[in-house]
Amino acid sequence: MTLRAMGRIIRIWTAFLLFTVGCSAWGADDFPSQGAVVAAQPAAAQAGVAMLEAGGNAFDAAAATALALGVVEPGSSGLGGGGFFLLYIAKQHRFVMIDGRESSPQLAGHGEIYQRKSSIDGPQSAGVPGLLAAVARMQQHYGKLPRADTVAPAIHLATKGFTVTPRLRRMLDWRKDVLNPAAKRLFLSGNRIRQPALAQVLRRYAKFGKDDFYRGQTAGRMVADMQRDGGLIRLEDLAGYRAKERRPVVFHWHGYRVVSAALPSSGGMVLKEIFGMMQHDDLMAMDRADRTHLLIEAMQRAYRDRNRFLGDSDQVTIPSHLLNPIRLAKLRQSIDMAHTTPSAELGKSTEPAGNGRDTTHFSVIDRHGNMVAATLSINYGFGSGYVSPSTGILFNDEMDDFATRPGVPNAYGLVQGKANAVAPGKRMLSSMTPTIIQGKRRTLILGTPGGSRIISMVLLTAVAFMRNQTPPESWVAAGRFHHQFLPDVVQFEPGALDAAMQKELRARGHRLQQVHSYGNMQAILWDRPSGVLTLLSDPRGEGEGVRQQ
Ligand code: GLY
């Protein structure tokens, strides 16, 4: 047997042993010392923790946090949008993803309308909202508290109002021109935002459940507004919408179990492809320049595949060989550690980045070890800019996440394949990547907004967690870099790559582009043997971690 083969066997055995040790440590005896919520706005984190203190579990807390975020961070998520909730149900040792992604209205056909009209601004850019269906499903199937309790904080915040924060002010300045008159009245009338009509919708949800939103009075009002104002969503679309339970993407890497979002989010599959390419790489031993180069090259290849092959798996067939280990090993072999491979040599597909000023993420844990990682969105900042006047609901512009005009970049510069073409009832491909990573001692719950850069942000934080060479706070604070195949450049935040690293990467042929800082990660680190939680809120944002008393 050659030394190389022996080395490989030892590595496989080490990984197996670490994995089995890890499995036994993931037993039901591990409990955090307290529950906690980390969210992009303190009021939303407090709403979640209030549920824990009232005897609710992580799923009640997630329902309350999601609804409250839609009120106090209205430019990023809300009832007019959708998202993904990744749940860990401790008693059952089970992960499940609740898919509340928007779907395409019937009237959008195969996207012909977007030859004439914007898929970003205005009511025609809205997909059928999924957030409330997902929240209702999570709460009904997995929560403990009465529905009304979980809605109460959001109703309170919508009624009493909240003060516009600097982050929201910046987002309003950016998107104010696309807001319709109802949205302008709500969001541009002063320094305090009150949303009485939305409070009424939330009260009706508390009383009647999601049917009011999807089949009842609220549905009728939303559709009447949409019909008058040029939107495409009709009663049949709302009545036909379902939140779906999906099996998350799960994979193992060097003793870690990574659980992440399934299609129609591309997040989990792209992460799996990248880690799969690096299956035999020792990121601990590798020097920083090699590690950075390898991550960039792996991102480039996985984003290429994302755009070419991925879409709503309920409607399109995803090639079965995509994540085959032999294919991933070949992709790894194609990486030259001394030189970058130009994207043009790797084939077609493209996807420039978003700016991170949309979407939101929160992480939750309770005393029993139940966990939620949830990433929610209305897509662009303030979504479509369209508020339905009679309901106060701000609609998403998630239709732009489809390949609405093949060959033409979307808001994130995405030029995607047929797999993600518009079709009635189809869910648009997402990059949202709520993730839970379990190591042999520690668990990390994480996610972030940031458009197409979401996946690379989660990747970099996952690698920092696995390497464990720096304090946890730096995992969410550290400068970020990103490659998404096209444009064929490495985008990086100020300070992410020092002068020496830039020189080294240029020497390997990389084109570098400094961009504004991006992302807003909200994470929880749980040291399982001690029960200690470390709450990690991205210093780029206004978020906060709140602990149960
Ligand atoms: N709307 C951003 C995403 O889902 O990727």
Side-chain angles (χ1 to χ4, degrees):
M1 189 183 293
T2 63
L3 270 177
R4 209 185 148 105
M6 269 175 69
R8 172 170 293 192
I9 288 174
I10 289 168
R11 275 204 302 278
I12 291 170
W13 267 104
T14 311
F16 175 73
L17 285 174
L18 280 174
F19 174 63
T20 48
V21 170
C23 280
S24 59
W26 300 335
D29 296 341
D30 295 324
F31 296 115
S33 51
Q34 60 201 148
V37 180
V38 186
Q41 283 299 325
Q46 283 151 13
V49 168
M51 299 303 112
L52 299 179
E53 287 173 355
N57 61 18
F59 315 118
D60 298 306
T65 304
L67 295 173
L69 273 172
V71 175
V72 296
E73 207 194 21
S76 301
S77 73
L79 295 191
F84 299 103
F85 294 82
L86 177 63
L87 275 48
Y88 178 67
I89 303 134
K91 242 190 202 160
Q92 303 171 10
H93 301 277
R94 181 165 77 92
F95 286 93
V96 66
M97 183 181 94
I98 301 184
D99 165 7
R101 183 64 162 167
E102 296 88 336
S103 61
S104 180
Q106 300 293 320
L107 285 177
H110 291 275
E112 298 81 358
I113 185 172
Y114 302 111
Q115 304 295 329
R116 295 176 281 113
K117 293 198 165 189
S118 170
S119 56
I120 304 174
D121 305 329
Q124 75 288 341
S125 61
V128 183
L131 184 83
L132 204 59
V135 166
R137 182 164 190 113
M138 173 171 64
Q139 215 262 326
Q140 205 178 333
H141 287 241
Y142 303 104
K144 284 166 67 183
L145 294 178
R147 179 174 61 238
D149 292 10
T150 61
V151 196
I155 295 173
H156 176 78
L157 290 162
T159 310
K160 300 280 175 218
F162 66 94
T163 305
V164 176
T165 65
R167 189 178 169 87
L168 193 62
R169 173 65 56 211
R170 283 194 297 277
M171 200 188 278
L172 277 168
D173 286 345
W174 167 45
R175 293 286 282 164
K176 60 180 183 301
D177 293 340
V178 308
L179 302 184
N180 72 336
K184 283 194 171 123
R185 276 196 299 279
L186 270 184
F187 302 125
L188 296 174
S189 296
N191 210 29
R192 200 160 178 85
I193 293 178
R194 291 189 182 82
Q195 301 170 81
L198 185 65
Q200 191 53 27
V201 170
L202 289 163
R203 273 189 211 101
R204 292 185 64 81
Y205 169 63
K207 201 164 168 189
F208 304 115
K210 73 174 169 55
D211 276 357
D212 173 65
F213 187 93
Y214 287 99
R215 294 167 179 273
Q217 188 187 93
T218 299
R221 289 181 173 174
M222 287 190 291
V223 168
D225 287 348
M226 278 258 160
Q227 259 176 312
R228 188 191 55 236
D229 295 335
L232 307 178
I233 298 171
R234 297 293 180 265
L235 288 173
E236 302 72 47
D237 297 312
L238 289 165
Y241 186 87
R242 301 278 179 278
K244 298 185 183 182
E245 291 210 355
R246 309 227 183 235
R247 196 178 304 169
V249 171
V250 182
F251 61 93
H252 297 95
W253 194 85
H254 295 213
Y256 291 90
R257 175 158 66 157
V258 181
V259 185
S260 190
L263 291 170
S265 173
S266 59
M269 287 189 73
V270 174
L271 279 185
K272 185 171 175 179
E273 180 164 346
I274 292 173
F275 277 106
M277 276 184 242
M278 304 189 303
Q279 195 58 253
H280 302 296
D281 286 296
D282 185 350
L283 294 181
M284 316 301 152
M286 205 176 271
D287 75 26
R288 188 160 159 246
D290 277 351
R291 194 170 64 246
T292 306
H293 174 77
L294 175 60
L295 285 166
I296 291 167
E297 296 292 299
M299 284 178 198
Q300 179 195 27
R301 285 156 177 78
Y303 271 90
R304 174 200 57 183
D305 289 346
R306 173 204 189 274
N307 292 334
R308 191 189 291 176
F309 298 118
L310 300 187
D312 180 350
S313 53
D314 289 346
Q315 294 215 13
V316 293
T317 306
I318 309 299
S320 56
H321 71 287
L322 207 60
L323 301 180
N324 180 304
I326 296 170
R327 178 176 186 267
L328 299 185
K330 279 194 184 142
L331 281 177
R332 175 64 184 88
Q333 275 168 14
S334 75
I335 296 176
D336 176 348
M337 289 303 286
H339 297 282
T340 183
T341 312
S343 292
E345 284 179 23
L346 290 171
K348 287 189 193 148
S349 181
T350 174
E351 179 187 343
N355 51 30
R357 285 188 284 173
D358 60 284
T359 311
T360 194
H361 176 87
F362 65 89
S363 296
V364 183
I365 192 163
D366 69 20
R367 277 203 168 112
H368 305 286
N370 296 307
M371 297 180 267
V372 180
T375 311
L376 315 176
S377 185
I378 51 173
N379 197 26
Y380 230 36
F382 282 88
S384 63
Y386 176 75
V387 165
S388 127
S390 65
T391 63
I393 293 169
L394 172 62
F395 277 84
N396 68 85
D397 57 352
E398 220 75 65
M399 292 302 285
D400 194 63
D401 273 350
F402 278 118
T404 48
R405 282 164 294 169
V408 179
N410 74 357
Y412 301 105
L414 284 157
V415 181
Q416 301 167 95
K418 282 194 195 125
N420 192 30
V422 182
K426 193 173 172 185
R427 299 183 185 205
M428 55 294 285
L429 189 63
S430 171
S431 298
M432 291 189 274
T433 314
T435 299
I436 298 175
I437 309 176
Q438 295 172 310
K440 70 181 154 90
R441 277 184 63 97
R442 300 169 312 155
T443 295
L444 185 67
I445 314 169
L446 73 161
T448 178
S452 53
R453 296 183 186 132
I454 290 175
I455 311 171
S456 62
M457 286 187 258
V458 170
L459 168 72
L460 296 181
T461 305
V463 169
F465 165 65
M466 291 164 175
R467 293 185 75 245
N468 198 25
Q469 304 288 303
T470 49
E473 289 70 19
S474 76
W475 304 344
V476 299
R480 295 163 173 147
F481 58 89
H482 173 78
H483 195 303
Q484 55 180 33
F485 187 70
L486 287 175
D488 192 356
V489 294
V490 180
Q491 300 171 341
F492 67 100
E493 284 189 299
L497 306 172
D498 60 27
M501 180 61 66
Q502 289 184 37
K503 194 170 165 208
E504 178 61 41
L505 290 174
R506 284 203 178 93
R508 297 186 196 201
H510 291 284
R511 286 171 53 218
L512 306 181
Q513 179 194 16
Q514 184 172 309
V515 296
H516 292 298
S517 80
Y518 57 87
N520 193 13
M521 189 165 278
Q522 314 296 330
I524 297 176
L525 174 67
W526 170 24
D527 180 71
R528 292 195 307 274
S530 67
V532 171
L533 299 177
T534 309
L535 309 187
L536 305 166
S537 185
D538 199 321
R540 295 165 186 78
E542 298 170 344
E544 191 174 85
V546 180
R547 293 168 194 273
Q548 185 180 0
Q549 292 306 308

